[in-house]
Amino acid sequence: MADYDLLVLGSGPGGQKAAIAAAKLGASVALIERRNMIGGVCIQTGTIPSKTLREAVLYLTGMSQRDLYGQSYRVKEDITIGDLTARTSHVVGREVDVIRSQLSRNGVALLPGMGKFLDPHTVQVSDGSGQERKVTADKIVIATGTRPARPDTVDFDEQTIIDSDSILGLEKIPRTMIVVGAGVIGIEYASMFAALGTKVTVIEQRMRMLDFCDTEVVEALKYQLRDLAVTFRFGETVTAVERYARGTVTTLASGKKIPADTVMYSAGRQGMTDNLNLEAAGLTADKRGRITVDSSFRTSVEHIYAVGDVIGFPALAATSMEQGRLAAHHACGEPVHEMHALQPIGIYTIPEISYIGRTEDELTEQRVPFEVGVSRYRELARGQIIGDSYGVLKLLVSPEDRSLLGVHVFGTNATELVHIGQAVMGCGGTIDYLVDTVFNYPTLAESYKVAALDATNKMRQISMLTD
């Protein structure tokens, strides 16, 4: 007899949901996690702290109110790291309490420590104080997540040369900062520090950033960031970062030298599988530490599953949660609907971006005809009330069956607004639903009706000319 029906390694979004879902299905469940990492990277150093930091930055700098009260408006004149971390510490503490409560309420045993495989059904748990125990389980879910990838040639010191995990440990807000890598995490932090008044330089070896997003939206974000004095160096590669008593000098392949107080590397992430002793379980990971799974999140070993960032794309907290729930159902032999193919993307820059469905570039490449409906926040009463003059919502509509092909939002509450479009698309609705619907006034959600009418009017013009 095994100790547990299901054993989960890691308490991030995927691990939590897998453990709780299995417990709800009547399985005996245990979850292994280090004492100081309850909630995983998501709660401790990643999603939750970074989004809380963003909220603190937006509030304390008064950025979102400057259209109303002038460009010099600030809630607090001298913002310190302490001001920012006070809010993140509070939120992280509360979230850890919520997770502990949920696990306890569902009868999930929390085993403190690090786990490594001894054989395909046995995991050794080391609690860091020399105490070890062996745990056996019929089914195992690996949800160990990722850590920032660190180039071997870079001498990280957590203050002048840092990654996204150590950014909250800064002692002061840098006057100047270089962000290496214009991916989602790099651009999110670049926008936050730029809002705080830091002069930020973003270095990216590709010729554009966020190339999976709508081109117009990315251009609008770049415009807003340049307005905050962000400098972009595209098509450039860092060859060396040298640390001195009063800062750093970064040398680029082109020969440019850029001084800065702090350099932040955002060079992708590495799966945390190197200490799992995967070979003992009959598993392997790729060079980025990722584990391959099938559509049921089952690994090459029949009773072992893997979910979340450790399996690679899309590596989002939201998708990881659903992967964990689905893996638990499969492991318990319980029927379950597969994850919906339509998944929203949210990027918490300042201003934020969110979209679902296809982009204009994708539709053009696939030779799919589409019409564009646009609504600008500045033309909405709610946009004026909140002082957002740059926000925009764009609908991509099929002129053939009037279905929504894509929704792209840039501006305040973009990550919330996108779900209205997601619901319409997921239910197979058409643009007519949005035209005929009454939205609360004044709201940003009303932008859907404005954009839908815009697209409808454009399609009507064509039919009037061709009929």
Side-chain angles (χ1 to χ4, degrees):
M1 283 285 290
D3 297 325
Y4 297 97
D5 296 327
L6 185 79
L7 180 64
V8 180
L9 283 76
S11 67
Q16 284 168 45
K17 301 308 178 197
I20 290 168
K24 298 267 190 209
L25 294 172
S28 60
V29 184
L31 186 150
I32 301 170
E33 183 59 276
R34 290 164 287 172
R35 280 190 174 87
N36 64 340
M37 285 300 290
I38 300 298
V41 166
C42 171
I43 298 293
Q44 298 293 337
T45 59
T47 306
I48 298 305
S50 66
K51 277 46 176 181
T52 308
L53 181 71
R54 178 186 181 277
E55 212 60 39
V57 168
L58 270 175
Y59 173 69
L60 292 169
T61 60
M63 265 202 69
S64 56
Q65 305 295 315
R66 287 180 190 169
D67 266 15
L68 302 173
Y69 301 122
Q71 289 304 303
S72 62
Y73 176 76
R74 282 171 87 86
V75 170
K76 191 173 191 291
E77 197 55 46
D78 297 312
I79 301 167
T80 66
I81 281 287
D83 295 326
L84 303 174
T85 54
R87 184 160 178 169
T88 57
S89 299
H90 173 78
V91 172
V92 167
R94 286 292 181 90
E95 281 295 290
V96 169
D97 286 345
V98 167
I99 292 163
R100 283 186 179 278
S101 170
Q102 286 178 338
L103 294 172
S104 172
R105 204 167 62 238
N106 285 282
V108 176
L110 187 55
L111 310 180
M114 296 271 283
K116 74 171 184 179
F117 284 98
L118 297 179
D119 64 49
H121 284 280
T122 310
V123 174
Q124 180 176 287
V125 184
S126 307
D127 71 359
S129 66
Q131 297 290 315
E132 293 179 348
R133 63 182 287 192
K134 293 177 184 175
V135 184
T136 59
D138 290 332
K139 304 284 174 70
I140 296 172
V141 175
I142 300 169
T144 47
T146 56
R147 63 173 179 272
R150 288 188 165 194
D152 297 333
T153 53
V154 181
D155 183 18
F156 290 86
D157 69 348
E158 316 302 336
Q159 284 300 318
T160 51
I161 305 175
I162 62 173
D163 60 27
S164 59
D165 273 10
S166 48
I167 204 158
L168 292 168
L170 287 174
E171 291 170 359
K172 60 182 180 181
I173 294 168
R175 289 176 301 108
T176 53
M177 177 186 255
I178 289 171
V179 175
V180 182
V184 172
I185 295 171
I187 291 297
E188 284 181 350
Y189 277 119
S191 70
M192 288 182 222
F193 279 89
L196 287 166
T198 302
K199 287 204 175 306
V200 178
T201 301
V202 176
I203 300 167
E204 171 57 62
Q205 56 190 11
R206 290 171 294 188
M207 291 310 296
R208 59 172 291 198
M209 67 185 200
L210 307 177
D211 51 6
F212 51 88
C213 290
D214 178 83
T215 304
E216 261 186 314
V217 166
V218 173
E219 285 304 315
L221 175 64
K222 273 174 25 188
Y223 176 84
Q224 292 295 325
L225 292 179
R226 284 192 175 113
D227 202 40
L228 290 171
V230 174
T231 301
F232 291 99
R233 300 280 182 204
F234 291 109
E236 297 269 26
T237 306
V238 174
T239 56
V241 180
E242 294 165 295
R243 191 166 63 240
Y244 297 95
R246 291 185 293 174
T248 65
V249 173
T250 298
T251 305
L252 307 184
S254 63
K256 291 188 188 74
K257 289 183 183 287
I258 308 172
D261 292 342
T262 302
V263 176
M264 187 193 109
Y265 264 82
S266 180
R269 297 185 69 86
Q270 183 80 20
M272 290 206 282
T273 49
D274 35 6
N275 295 320
L276 289 178
N277 193 25
L278 290 176
E279 297 78 15
L283 291 170
T284 56
D286 68 12
K287 63 181 181 181
R288 294 301 291 264
R290 294 171 300 204
I291 298 171
T292 303
V293 295
D294 65 14
S295 59
S296 302
F297 306 102
R298 194 190 303 265
T299 66
S300 57
V301 177
E302 192 177 353
H303 69 278
I304 301 178
Y305 296 76
V307 299
D309 290 13
V310 79
I311 67 171
F313 182 84
L316 300 168
T319 48
S320 298
M321 290 179 187
E322 188 63 2
Q323 289 169 1
R325 187 182 74 84
L326 294 176
H329 277 256
H330 287 299
C332 294
E334 187 77 16
V336 65
H337 291 293
E338 293 308 305
M339 200 184 304
H340 202 290
L342 273 176
Q343 292 169 16
I345 300 292
I347 303 172
Y348 290 84
T349 42
I350 298 176
E352 63 189 63
I353 293 171
S354 196
Y355 75 90
I356 190 162
R358 287 177 281 180
T359 64
E360 287 192 48
D361 289 346
E362 286 170 340
L363 292 169
T364 302
E365 197 176 302
Q366 294 160 10
R367 301 196 172 187
V368 176
F370 65 93
E371 192 53 81
V372 182
V374 175
S375 172
R376 292 175 177 80
Y377 283 22
R378 66 173 179 265
E379 294 167 355
L380 302 171
R382 186 67 189 165
Q384 295 293 345
I385 290 167
I386 64 173
D388 185 334
S389 60
Y390 48 78
V392 64
L393 179 139
K394 183 159 76 170
L395 303 179
L396 307 182
V397 184
S398 166
E400 292 167 357
D401 61 8
R402 303 173 75 82
S403 63
L404 280 180
L405 302 172
V407 177
H408 301 268
V409 198
F410 174 68
T412 307
N413 289 352
T415 52
E416 301 279 357
L417 278 175
V418 75
H419 296 301
I420 297 173
Q422 180 183 12
V424 173
M425 291 172 76
C427 294
T430 69
I431 197 171
D432 300 312
Y433 171 77
L434 296 171
V435 168
D436 299 335
T437 293
V438 174
F439 286 90
N440 280 334
Y441 174 85
T443 59
L444 292 177
E446 186 196 357
S447 59
Y448 274 97
K449 182 157 188 148
V450 175
L453 286 165
D454 182 41
T456 303
N457 290 336
K458 288 173 180 173
M459 290 189 289
R460 184 184 293 118
Q461 284 178 339
I462 292 171
S463 62
M464 284 167 62
L465 290 168
T466 55
D467 282 351

